[in-house]
């Protein structure tokens, strides 16, 4: 990589090295995108002395000494041996731009032509330990990197300095550093991705469900960003033109923002604000070039799997099983729930932290779910294993054998997040079919059957039922009964089977008995007698699903 540095303009190169800008940030400021920066010397002092003969030859010793005297590189002078040899310290000086992110967590691999040694770097070691501890199995990964907002401020400060000093030489032109240099996150990913791919035998994929997150924080952030408080008020206070650049952010908002600038929160605020501040205003608040640092960033890591979805349909054969766990006064109602029976089994397969159960509607605990079943989705949280479709099919078969007398599952398979929207849309628009055992206060007649069967697209009004008022708002909801048909029950004169298809969200029990007149019309009013529902089954949920 030394030949790359030798090709750069010597004066600003020497200036940056002497001021403590690490080699990788120097390449960023010269807009050099090269994966070879893995093998850069991160110690700017060491690199300066290696390049000194070349710099002297190109610039002349007098000019180079002039730059060095102006910069007053005290740390380099103190670290040098009396004979002019290389510094004896092994710890590189902290980069004044990246805060050590690109230099202290990665080893120098000057003598290595491959990435084997890079794997031993502290950052890769720490990330790998985190992944191994969590026990994830994956064939692809994505890196998520959060950096302190202070890095943007220091980049801007250094750019302002370089622009003022070297723009006459055709270098470092333009006001917005974000458009001129290689982003810090991009450089860090260049350093990490290839070694991690080789180490983990997995490919980097921005869309991967497995995410590895690196969070960088610096203790100086709050103090050095305090000047942002001066951004409060109107744009004219900053000498800015146009409201769009500064957004007229209030002092309270900016103060709150500054308190939360670590870990990537509100970084865009800083990026938007800096180019809009006139140079004379910025220099009043922040020195450029930026000052030296005594300590690097600290880093924490975590890894996780984004939510995965498993879909299918369930059938419920028991009238003592609720859809989700049902507790009243800390007392469980029912033997179990559909959610637990299915979810706990799938959770073990994915080795996940947890799950959420979503279904296209719900039935009461004493209502069976028959027919083609009710669509459902399991949202799997932080899965460590992604099973194959064959393994899901095996779980479905096992569950149906063990719990088949209560609950069965059909078509268990992987699903995308888009299926969640499909289910929610279908839940509001679908039609549902029911079978009910109805009792009348008088003998059932053929005329009753004819009257009910003749009604098509019957419009009803339903006030929120008394039994659900504690959890549903009091509203009157229009609903439609699409069709009805009836069958006699042999040996019974007052009971009959009612089959009907209704709009989603219809309360069928209340449609039968009227709910004290809160649902009208109803079976009671239509047949002009008392009517009660004894049993109810859902026999069809008509919607497209996985």
């Amino acid at each position: 990589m030394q030949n790359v540095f030798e090709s750069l303009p010597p004066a600003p190169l020497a200036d940056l090295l002497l001021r403590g800008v690490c080699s990788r940030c120097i390449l960023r400021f010269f807009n050099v995108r090269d994966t070879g920066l893995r093998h850069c010397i991160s110690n700017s002092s060491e690199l300066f002395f290696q390049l000194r003969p070349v710099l002297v030859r190109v610039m002349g010793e007098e000019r180079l000494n002039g730059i060095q005297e102006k910069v007053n590189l005290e740390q380099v002078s103190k670290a040098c041996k009396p004979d002019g040899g290389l510094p004896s310290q092994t710890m590189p000086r902290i980069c004044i731009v990246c805060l050590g992110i690109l230099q202290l967590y990665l080893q120098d691999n000057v003598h290595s032509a491959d990435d084997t040694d890079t794997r031993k770097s502290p950052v890769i070691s720490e990330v790998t330990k985190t992944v191994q501890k969590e026990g994830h199995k994956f064939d692809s990964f994505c890196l998520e990197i959060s950096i302190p907002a202070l890095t943007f401020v220091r980049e801007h400060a250094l750019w302002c300095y370089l622009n003022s000093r070297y723009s006459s030489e055709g270098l470092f032109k333009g006001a917005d550093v974000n458009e001129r240099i290689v982003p810090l996150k991009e450089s860090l990913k260049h350093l990490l991705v290839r070694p991690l791919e080789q180490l983990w035998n997995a490919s980097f994929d921005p869309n991967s469900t497995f995410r590895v997150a690196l969070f960088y924080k610096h203790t100086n952030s709050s103090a050095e960003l305090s000047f942002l408080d001066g951004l409060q008020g109107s744009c004219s206070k900053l000498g800015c033109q146009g409201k769009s650049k500064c957004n007229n952010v209030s002092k309270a908002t900016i103060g709150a923002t500054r308190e939360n600038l670590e870990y990537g929160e509100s970084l865009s605020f800083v990026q938007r604000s800096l180019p809009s501040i006139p140079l004379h205003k910025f220099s009043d608040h922040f020195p450029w070039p930026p000052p030296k640092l005594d300590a690097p960033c600290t880093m924490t890591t975590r890894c996780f799997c984004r939510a995965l979805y498993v879909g299918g349909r369930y059938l419920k054969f028991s009238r003592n099983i609720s859809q989700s766990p049902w507790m009243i006064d800390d007392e469980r109602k029912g033997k179990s729930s559909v959610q637990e029976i299915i979810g706990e089994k799938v959770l073990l397969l994915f080795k996940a932290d947890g799950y959420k159960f979503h279904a296209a509607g719900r039935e009461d605990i004493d209502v069976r779910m028959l027919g083609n079943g009710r669509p459902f989705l399991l949202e799997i949280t932080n899965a460590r294993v992604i099973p194959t479709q064959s393994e899901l099919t095996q779980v479905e078969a096992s569950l149906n054998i063990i719990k088949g007398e209560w609950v069965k599952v059909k078509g268990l398979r992987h699903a995308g997040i888009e299926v969640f929207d499909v289910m929610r849309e279908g839940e509001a628009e679908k039609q549902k079919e029911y079978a009910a055992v109805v009792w009348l206060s008088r003998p059932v007649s053929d005329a009753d059957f004819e009257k009910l069967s003749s009604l098509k697209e019957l419009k009803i009004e339903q006030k929120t039922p008394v039994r659900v008022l504690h959890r549903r708002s009091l509203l009157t909801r229009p609903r439609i009964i699409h069709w009805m048909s009836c069958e006699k029950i042999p040996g019974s004169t007052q009971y009959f089977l009612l089959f009907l298809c209704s709009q989603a969200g219809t309360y069928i029990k209340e449609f039968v008995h009227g709910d004290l007149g809160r649902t009208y019309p109803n079976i009671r009013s239509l047949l002009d007698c008392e009517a009660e529902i004894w049993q109810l089954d859902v026999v069809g949920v008509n919607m497209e699903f996985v």
Side-chain angles (χ1 to χ4, degrees), residues 449 487-497:
F449 289 177
E487 281 188 17
K488 291 182 179 180
I489 296 178
S492 174
T493 59
Q494 291 180 266
Y495 292 88
F496 71 97
L497 288 175

Side-chain angles (χ1 to χ4, degrees), residues 144 206-211 304-308 380-383:
E144 295 183 355
N207 298 316
S208 174
T209 57
F210 181 61
R211 324 293 282 187
F304 61 96
C305 182
R306 289 195 303 193
L308 301 175
I380 312 296
T381 306
N382 196 22

Side-chain angles (χ1 to χ4, degrees), residues 1-10 13 17 23-24 26-28 30-41 47 51 54-55:
M1 285 298 294
Q2 185 164 332
N3 61 329
V4 175
F5 289 98
E6 291 175 0
S7 66
L8 300 177
L13 172 60
L17 285 171
S23 56
R24 296 177 179 109
I26 289 175
L27 293 178
R28 293 199 302 121
F30 281 104
N31 203 23
V32 176
R33 284 177 164 86
D34 192 330
T35 55
L37 62 82
R38 286 192 194 91
H39 312 299
C40 290
I41 300 172
L47 181 58
L51 293 174
V54 178
L55 295 173

Side-chain angles (χ1 to χ4, degrees), residues 337-351:
S337 69
V338 175
Q339 172 181 315
E340 292 168 299
I341 290 172
I342 301 175
E344 296 301 325
K345 191 79 172 178
V346 174
L347 182 69
L348 292 175
L349 181 63
F350 281 81
K351 297 183 179 179

Side-chain angles (χ1 to χ4, degrees), residues 69-334:
E69 289 176 7
K70 186 172 182 178
V71 173
N72 190 19
L73 191 61
E74 296 179 359
Q75 290 186 351
V76 173
S77 301
K78 292 178 181 178
C80 287
K81 298 178 181 178
D83 59 1
L86 295 179
S88 59
Q89 82 266 25
T90 57
M91 186 72 172
R93 193 171 59 177
I94 310 304
C95 177
I96 63 173
V97 182
C98 71
L99 315 180
I101 291 175
L102 294 180
Q103 61 178 164
L104 296 184
Y105 293 107
L106 293 148
Q107 293 177 336
D108 294 327
N109 296 293
V110 181
H111 306 296
S112 176
D114 56 33
D115 296 308
T116 305
D117 294 335
T118 310
R119 301 179 186 181
K120 301 176 183 177
S121 70
V123 65
I124 292 178
S125 175
E126 184 171 343
V127 169
T128 300
K129 286 179 182 178
T130 301
V131 172
Q132 291 175 341
K133 180 180 179 181
E134 289 294 318
H136 288 273
K137 294 182 179 180
F138 54 95
D139 54 18
S140 66
F141 67 95
C142 177
L143 285 179
E144 295 183 355
I145 299 173
S146 293
I147 58 177
L150 181 56
T151 59
F152 297 128
V153 175
R154 284 177 163 261
E155 284 175 350
H156 186 69
L158 183 60
W159 183 263
C160 290
Y161 167 74
L162 294 171
N163 177 272
S164 66
R165 178 119 187 225
Y166 299 104
S167 60
S168 60
E169 301 179 26
L171 301 171
F172 309 107
K173 291 184 176 181
D176 190 357
V177 64
N178 299 312
E179 299 175 357
R180 304 289 177 170
I181 71 170
V182 179
L184 176 56
K185 289 184 181 181
E186 180 182 322
S187 294
L188 186 56
K189 286 182 179 180
H190 267 132
L191 288 161
L192 296 176
V193 166
R194 186 176 170 189
L196 289 177
E197 284 182 325
Q198 294 181 347
L199 183 61
W200 295 342
N201 193 26
S203 60
F204 175 79
D205 179 3
N207 298 316
S208 174
T209 57
F210 181 61
R211 324 293 282 187
V212 178
L214 282 67
F215 301 93
Y216 290 94
K217 185 176 182 178
H218 199 276
T219 55
N220 285 18
S221 286
S222 181
E224 292 197 23
L225 293 174
S226 61
F227 77 93
L228 288 175
D229 290 340
L231 293 178
Q232 63 92 15
S234 66
C235 294
S236 59
K237 211 167 190 178
L238 293 172
C240 302
Q241 300 297 321
K243 184 177 179 180
S244 62
K245 289 186 177 181
C246 289
N247 298 322
N248 271 335
V249 185
S250 68
K251 184 173 182 178
T253 301
I254 292 172
T257 300
R258 180 163 51 82
E259 292 299 320
N260 297 286
L261 283 172
E262 300 294 352
Y263 299 136
E265 298 174 1
S266 303
L267 293 182
S268 59
F269 166 76
V270 175
Q271 286 184 297
R272 290 195 311 268
S273 299
L274 291 174
S276 66
I277 306 174
L279 292 183
H280 70 280
K281 288 287 186 181
F282 181 67
S283 62
D284 290 342
H285 291 290
F286 199 90
W288 39 280
K292 298 174 184 177
L293 292 163
D294 295 326
C297 279
T298 57
M299 184 192 74
T300 56
T301 63
R302 64 181 291 253
C303 61
F304 61 96
C305 182
R306 289 195 303 193
L308 301 175
Y309 295 88
V310 172
R313 289 176 178 262
Y314 74 83
L315 295 92
K316 181 169 79 76
F317 306 116
S318 170
R319 299 191 189 276
N320 198 21
I321 299 290
S322 57
Q323 186 187 80
S324 57
W326 187 18
M327 306 292 290
I328 298 179
D329 296 329
D330 296 327
E331 182 179 345
R332 186 186 188 99
K333 301 297 180 181

